[in-house]
Amino acid sequence: MVLTFSHLLYGLFTLIVILTMVFRKGVVFPTLLGTFIIGCFYTGSVVDGLTTIFRANLVAAQELFNIFLIITFMLALLHALRDLEADRRMVEPFEKMMVNGHVSFFVLVGVTYVISLFFWPTPAVPLICALLVPAAVRSGLPAMTSAVAIALAGQGMALSSDYIVQVAPGLSAASAGVDINEVADKAMILSLVSGSVAILLAYILLRRGIRKKGDARIEKDLKGLQSTATSNHKAKTKHVTFWSKTFAVIVPLTLLGVVGFMIYEKLLSGRMSGLEGGDGAAFIGGVAAVLLLAITFAYGRQHALDYISNHITDGFVFAFKAMGPVIPIAGFFFLGSPEFSGSILGVEENAPALLFDLVQSVQDYLPQSAFLAAFSLLIIGIITGLDGSGFSGLPLTGALAASLQNNAIDASTLAAIGQMGAIWTGGGTIVAWSSLIAIAGFCGVSVMELVRKNFIPVICGLMIATVFAIFLL
């Protein structure tokens, strides 16, 4: 493998993007500029460099649109509930469980972890954000802290082990040439160590911001959960109170029924029931759409034809306004993945793997001691996670684990460490162009600010888990 000037440019702009994030500045400018310059040099044409920018953004939009769509349908549903004032009634039972912001933080962590462990975080997020986050915010937990709790428990601790579905340990084990159970068991232990450290550290860092009930800032956060737009729809039924109480019961029971059905499918069909990840999110999105139809008809009668259009439009506007900047960032990092670079650069065969080639190029220089080998795998896992997937780098970290094992540390342990780095990063908790944007969207917070809140707890958790693996696994 020979590194080209395009590889070096990609590495340079990746470093620039990371440094820009560290200094808390926007990264859209350097990612767009980097995409253009790399496109020009790789293709040898300024015209092709210009089309590379468009294609990168188009590919990113196609890959992320499912997240935008689930945000749209769930927000449209919540807006329809707000018309009936059923949203407040719906969270009243959960408020009894969430007595204050401190308890709410750990309730969100526990529920998110259990659901995400079975179905991955993608379908878990809209359920939790619809049912529990409003109650948590009313108890005094800020929306940003709620988002941190959900991200660390779901996108981080649950997904990094992937112990139930076992897609991640399967990829790591196959590339490392070891038994899947060895990797899965060690990944489970490391995910609990890294997750416990990250969640406790995040709580310690953010606990001073937890409010008392009745704080004036709570209403501001509640408005942010469903966008700040106010509805001017008028009820066309005389039984608003009846329908409000009815749907305040039907909606949470339906969503809980969705969870029950998914668990039933899991137990009936085995490890892969067909409702994990994107399929599970699609199922929930469809349920939300049907509930939206029922609520708008009950509230607006014949005017539901207009009301539902307004709700969906508002949902799309909110989703793109809040998450739109993520698309060019994702486009740049998709450019570094062979899965997408061919479509972006217009290459039909031998698509370049700019990011992965850079990582593989240093393989021969990686140290052989257990300590340095483990941290090298962790860093490489984090770098591969920058593509916003987390899973795409696992074949690479698994292969490197096999080549770096020695008498002090075996391949399965190294593979599990690499898996932690890749999925905690790209799964994701510390990159904005991952499914983290769904959490930020539902909680009404800035995705870049959420990344910054997660960064220190996640990195500390990963480092401690790596040290734990070296000495105790």
Side-chain angles (χ1 to χ4, degrees):
M1 178 189 62
V2 179
L3 293 182
T4 66
F5 188 61
S6 297
H7 286 87
L8 300 180
L9 281 175
Y10 191 84
L12 174 63
F13 274 99
T14 299
L15 182 61
I16 291 173
V17 169
I18 294 172
L19 290 175
T20 304
M21 291 176 64
V22 169
F23 287 102
R24 299 190 175 187
K25 301 296 181 181
V27 296
V28 172
F29 186 95
T31 52
L32 284 174
L33 180 63
T35 301
F36 170 64
I37 292 176
I38 293 166
C40 288
F41 277 94
Y42 185 85
T43 60
S45 168
V46 174
V47 173
D48 289 339
L50 293 170
T51 60
T52 297
I53 296 178
F54 181 83
R55 286 173 179 162
N57 283 268
L58 180 61
V59 168
Q62 290 171 338
E63 288 298 311
L64 297 176
F65 188 71
N66 65 320
I67 297 174
F68 283 69
L69 199 57
I70 188 67
I71 291 174
T72 296
F73 278 123
M74 292 301 294
L75 284 175
L77 173 61
L78 293 173
H79 286 169
L81 288 167
R82 185 167 49 171
D83 281 347
L84 281 172
E85 296 186 356
D87 54 338
R88 287 181 178 270
R89 298 179 191 272
M90 192 173 71
V91 299
E92 285 175 358
F94 298 103
E95 289 178 355
K96 297 177 182 178
M97 177 175 58
M98 297 179 168
V99 294
N100 58 53
H102 302 276
V103 172
S104 298
F105 180 87
F106 291 102
V107 169
L108 284 179
V109 167
V111 175
T112 302
Y113 179 73
V114 171
I115 297 178
S116 299
L117 198 62
F118 279 87
F119 308 112
W120 288 349
T122 308
V125 166
L127 290 171
I128 294 162
C129 289
L131 295 177
L132 297 183
V133 170
V137 171
R138 288 187 188 281
S139 73
L141 190 68
M144 177 61 76
T145 310
S146 300
V148 169
I150 294 170
L152 296 182
Q155 319 279 84
M157 188 162 65
L159 190 61
S160 63
S161 71
D162 194 15
Y163 195 74
I164 302 298
V165 183
Q166 294 198 350
V167 172
L171 290 170
S172 298
S175 301
V178 296
D179 183 68
I180 185 174
N181 292 323
E182 291 184 32
V183 177
D185 291 343
K186 291 179 179 179
M188 183 63 172
I189 294 171
L190 294 182
S191 71
L192 292 173
V193 173
S194 56
S196 298
V197 171
I199 289 166
L200 288 174
L201 183 56
Y203 172 74
I204 291 169
L205 293 174
L206 300 174
R207 74 185 190 282
R208 290 185 179 179
I210 296 175
R211 306 152 184 167
K212 295 182 178 179
K213 286 187 176 182
D215 192 293
R217 293 169 292 178
I218 290 176
E219 285 300 319
K220 182 180 178 181
D221 272 2
L222 287 172
K223 291 179 180 179
L225 292 177
Q226 302 176 26
S227 88
T228 56
T230 57
S231 173
N232 56 5
H233 295 159
K234 295 182 180 179
K236 301 301 179 181
T237 176
K238 297 179 181 179
H239 308 289
V240 173
T241 302
F242 169 77
W243 288 117
S244 177
K245 292 179 179 179
T246 299
F247 282 107
V249 174
I250 289 176
V251 170
L253 286 180
T254 301
L255 295 180
L256 290 173
V258 166
V259 175
F261 177 75
M262 293 171 73
I263 292 174
Y264 172 77
E265 286 289 299
K266 170 72 68 176
L267 297 175
L268 187 68
S269 305
R271 210 171 61 197
M272 290 295 289
S273 68
L275 289 176
E276 285 83 5
D279 290 333
F283 177 48
I284 293 168
V287 170
V290 172
L291 289 172
L292 176 63
L293 288 168
I295 294 170
T296 51
F297 179 75
Y299 181 77
R301 297 297 189 232
Q302 71 273 18
H303 292 275
L305 297 170
D306 297 320
Y307 289 0
I308 194 169
S309 298
N310 294 338
H311 287 316
I312 290 178
T313 300
D314 290 342
F316 270 118
V317 169
F318 176 79
F320 277 91
K321 185 177 180 180
M323 306 301 139
V326 172
I327 291 177
I329 303 171
F332 173 78
F333 284 97
F334 285 173
L335 181 60
S337 170
E339 185 178 351
F340 303 107
S341 61
S343 300
I344 295 172
L345 295 168
V347 179
E348 295 183 0
E349 296 180 358
N350 299 321
L354 299 176
L355 179 62
F356 292 172
D357 286 349
L358 284 170
V359 174
Q360 283 185 307
S361 67
V362 301
Q363 178 178 351
D364 294 335
Y365 304 99
L366 295 178
Q368 294 300 311
S369 73
F371 187 86
L372 294 177
F375 275 93
S376 296
L377 256 296
L378 176 65
I379 293 170
I380 289 171
I382 291 173
I383 293 173
T384 61
L386 291 176
D387 70 345
S389 165
F391 286 83
S392 59
L394 296 182
L396 174 59
T397 56
L400 289 176
S403 64
L404 291 177
Q405 67 175 328
N406 52 56
N407 294 330
I409 191 166
D410 60 25
S412 61
T413 302
L414 289 173
I417 292 171
Q419 181 176 311
M420 291 299 105
I423 296 182
W424 271 93
T425 303
T429 59
I430 55 175
V431 294
W433 45 96
S434 65
S435 55
L436 188 68
I437 62 176
I439 297 175
F442 284 123
C443 292
V445 299
S446 165
V447 67
M448 296 305 295
E449 187 62 25
L450 179 55
V451 167
R452 296 185 187 107
K453 297 289 186 184
N454 288 340
F455 186 80
I456 292 177
V458 168
I459 294 301
C460 290
L462 289 174
M463 291 177 67
I464 291 174
T466 302
V467 172
F468 178 91
I470 293 170
F471 293 105
L472 297 176
L473 287 185

